[in-house]
Amino acid sequence: MKLILAIINRDDAGAVTQNLTKKGFSSTRLATTGSFLLAGNVTILVGVDEEKVQEAVEVIKGESHSRRQLMPGGAESGSGYYPAMPVEVTVGGATIFVVDIERFERV
Ligand code: 2BA
């Protein structure tokens, strides 16, 4: 079994989780914060059998859109970096990790 961790934009989270549920995947949403922009995002956890990983990743990719986001000049990035001028970065679609699950129990 595998655990998919997907960091996505808050605005895409509803569509991603609805489509995962439609396709029969269970998921959990966590409210998280990116350390560079210090902006809220959403991390979705999906526990899946190995042969279903690709299908779940495709659902996540299909609903996660990239966006240009502006960090204002003089604002702190989470790394202690204060750009003099506004910095525009491309955020997402999704940052996805797939890790092994050693043990899974529902009690
Ligand atoms: P943030 O850390 O707020 O980063 C937002 C966006 O800022 C990133 O988009 C990237 O385009 C840019 N960025 C991040 N660090 C940078 C740096 N040191 N210098 C210049 N630009 C930088 P994404 O790469 O799409 O990442 C979106 C969010 O996904 C991140 O939000 C963070 O919450 C998460 N993430 C990305 N890579 C990660 C990783 N390797 N491990 C854990 N979380 C990660």
Side-chain angles (χ1 to χ4, degrees):
M1 197 167 189
K2 301 281 185 182
L3 178 65
I4 301 171
L5 296 124
I7 303 158
I8 62 173
N9 192 286
R10 276 188 296 198
D11 296 338
D12 295 330
V16 169
T17 51
Q18 274 170 30
N19 270 3
L20 285 169
T21 304
K22 255 191 228 161
K23 301 261 171 156
F25 295 105
S26 294
S27 65
T28 297
R29 271 170 74 151
L30 306 173
T32 47
T33 304
S35 63
F36 188 71
L37 294 178
L38 298 176
N41 51 32
V42 170
T43 299
I44 294 178
L45 312 183
V46 196
V48 290
D49 290 330
E50 194 157 353
E51 62 273 18
K52 291 278 198 178
V53 167
Q54 196 52 37
E55 185 185 349
V57 166
E58 292 303 328
V59 173
I60 295 165
K61 277 187 191 168
E63 298 296 342
S64 302
H65 309 289
S66 67
R67 292 167 174 85
R68 301 287 292 165
Q69 213 161 314
L70 204 62
M71 181 167 53
E76 189 201 353
S77 81
S79 55
Y81 159 59
Y82 294 83
M85 302 289 288
V87 174
E88 200 180 31
V89 291
T90 302
V91 184
T95 301
I96 300 173
F97 303 90
V98 180
V99 297
D100 288 328
I101 295 178
E102 195 170 309
R103 180 167 167 170
F104 171 72
E105 278 187 42
R106 258 200 234 114
V107 292

